[in-house]
Amino acid sequence: MAYTPMTARSRDEQHRSATPLELFFDLCFVVAIAQAGARLVHALAEGHPATGVVGYFFVFFGVWWAWMNFTWFASAYDCDDVPYRIATLVQISGVLVYAAGVSEAFDQNDWTVAVIGYIIMRVALTAQWLRAAAGESGPARRAALTYAAGLVICQIGWVGLLFAPADAQRWLFLVLVAAELLVPVIAERDHRTPWHAHHIVERYGLFTIIVLGETIAASTVAVKSALDEHEALDLLLPIAAGGLLIVFAAWWIYFAVPMHQHLNSNREAIPWGYGHLLVFASGAAIGAGIEVAVEHAAGKAHISQVAANASVMVPAAGFLFMVWLLHSRHFKRGLAQQLVLPVAGLVTLACTWTGAYAVLYAGLVAVVTVTVGVILAERTRVPAR
């Protein structure tokens, strides 16, 4: 429709699923994720893990938070008319501008282009919240107006960050991150926006697929490039095989439980939603780690074998632990099931010290993890009557 009043959608709407516009919105984040991963690979391969991880976290937070802002708003107020679509396309434009500024933000701590991208996104999203407020009353209207005000205040802070002393910017960045995270908590303290649990879980699942898909794409390109210049098949093929097994297992483990059954209120949803920063970041970092392992095998990375292995093992273990913390533990029965993913994470970390075939060993650990999880789940499954 050309225009329809923006009103709250029902939390109990049947057959609610992601729209083509939401899928298009997600796809545009691939560019920013790829940029962040590429900068992380360069930092790790050059032997600067601390700088690389910090820069990666800061950049990835911007990617994740932009996606979060849109996703939860859309779950509650998507009306799919012409103004809504145009506002969303403007946000996509802002995402692409942000992606263009990732390398400068990462390498030079210059956030000018990234902040401009956020301004573009925030103008559109603020207009969306004001439009939602116009169609609401009482606590719902106050919540929408609080969101709009919070976006404007935080964005003023990001602009101000550009003019802060260079040595203070990273600390001020953390202050602004805390402010951003507080906006939903404050806005929804008296009223829960009508997000749809099944829709939100589907949206997070789709973004997880995008992250893992980017990991496979980056790893494939890295292996191909190495094979074009070298003939070290005995080292490259185990990395490729192990990396593929890790990603396959990550997908299997993430989608093993019906998470929408757990999201009954903001008390569960906000920690779950925020915790996915580490799920998404670690999932994308697995691909960066595989690239580093490939560069090391090809003799291009100026780091030790242990450091190259850790580039894969740390994010892989982090992914397993965070999925257990946010997802699996709510549905596991008994100590054996609860220990599968934490133990798998520890064993994966231990693979760091297993030499040139560490990635392959970690891949085999991932396969065993999935196998054990399936067997234990079948043993405790209640037979259908």
Side-chain angles (χ1 to χ4, degrees):
M1 298 179 64
Y3 178 81
T4 183
M6 181 178 281
T7 56
R9 299 186 64 150
S10 171
R11 296 188 183 96
D12 302 316
E13 183 178 341
Q14 296 295 314
H15 309 297
R16 180 73 189 277
S17 60
T19 66
L21 183 58
E22 288 177 316
L23 298 178
F24 185 42
F25 186 85
D26 289 358
L27 184 62
C28 293
F29 277 85
V30 172
V31 179
I33 293 172
Q35 288 287 324
R39 306 321 299 167
L40 178 61
V41 169
H42 179 74
L44 294 178
E46 293 298 319
H48 307 296
T51 302
V53 170
V54 171
Y56 177 74
F57 173 80
F58 284 172
V59 167
F60 203 93
F61 173 83
V63 174
W64 166 77
W65 192 241
W67 181 85
M68 278 270 295
N69 283 180
F70 169 78
T71 296
W72 289 82
F73 175 84
S75 188
Y77 289 104
D78 183 354
C79 60
D80 198 32
D81 63 359
V82 170
Y84 178 88
R85 289 186 174 191
I86 292 174
T88 302
L89 294 175
V90 170
Q91 287 179 261
I92 290 174
S93 301
V95 171
L96 297 177
V97 173
Y98 178 88
V102 163
S103 58
E104 291 182 355
F106 199 110
D107 297 334
Q108 305 171 29
N109 199 31
D110 183 355
W111 291 84
T112 303
V113 176
V115 169
I116 291 173
Y118 248 78
I119 291 173
I120 296 171
M121 287 186 279
R122 287 290 171 77
V123 167
L125 186 59
T126 301
Q128 295 277 57
W129 276 113
L130 291 175
R131 187 182 174 196
E136 295 280 20
S137 61
R141 176 180 171 83
R142 287 196 296 273
L145 290 175
T146 302
Y147 267 112
L151 290 172
V152 172
I153 293 171
C154 288
Q155 193 56 47
I156 291 173
W158 290 115
V159 173
L161 182 68
L162 300 178
F163 301 96
D167 56 349
Q169 283 186 349
R170 291 192 181 270
W171 297 107
L172 292 175
F173 189 102
L174 294 177
V175 172
L176 289 170
V177 165
E180 292 277 6
L181 297 178
L182 281 174
V183 171
V185 176
I186 295 172
E188 306 214 13
R189 65 187 184 280
D190 298 322
H191 172 78
R192 171 190 150 184
T193 54
W195 48 265
H196 191 285
H198 193 281
H199 176 248
I200 284 292
V201 169
E202 181 190 17
R203 298 288 291 112
Y204 272 71
L206 291 170
F207 201 75
T208 300
I209 290 174
I210 284 178
V211 166
L212 295 178
E214 171 58 28
T215 288
I216 290 177
S219 304
T220 301
V221 171
V223 172
K224 181 182 182 302
S225 298
L227 288 175
D228 288 342
E229 300 178 17
H230 301 272
E231 296 182 358
L233 291 178
D234 58 327
L235 295 177
L236 294 176
L237 290 184
I239 293 173
L244 202 59
L245 291 175
I246 291 171
V247 175
F248 285 171
W251 170 85
W252 192 302
I253 291 166
Y254 184 89
F255 291 98
V257 296
M259 196 58 211
H260 63 278
Q261 297 177 8
H262 175 68
L263 302 184
N264 299 311
S265 69
N266 284 343
R267 183 176 182 179
E268 295 91 15
I270 290 178
W272 180 84
Y274 284 3
H276 267 75
L277 168 60
L278 298 180
V279 173
F280 295 153
S282 59
I286 292 172
I290 294 172
E291 288 190 67
V292 172
V294 169
E295 289 197 9
H296 180 271
K300 294 182 179 180
H302 307 294
I303 54 177
S304 66
Q305 181 69 65
V306 170
N309 294 344
S311 299
V312 181
M313 306 310 151
V314 172
F319 184 92
L320 292 173
F321 179 77
M322 290 306 302
V323 171
W324 170 79
L325 183 65
L326 298 175
H327 275 45
S328 304
R329 69 185 179 90
H330 301 294
F331 298 89
K332 299 298 183 182
R333 301 175 182 176
L335 182 62
Q337 283 194 1
Q338 288 289 2
L339 287 176
V340 171
L341 291 184
V343 170
L346 292 175
V347 176
T348 299
L349 281 177
C351 289
T352 301
W353 292 274
T354 57
Y357 292 94
V359 178
L360 179 59
Y361 296 150
L364 296 175
V365 170
V367 172
V368 172
T369 301
V370 171
T371 303
V372 171
V374 170
I375 291 172
L376 292 177
E378 282 298 306
R379 287 181 177 179
T380 58
R381 183 170 61 89
V382 178
R385 294 182 179 180

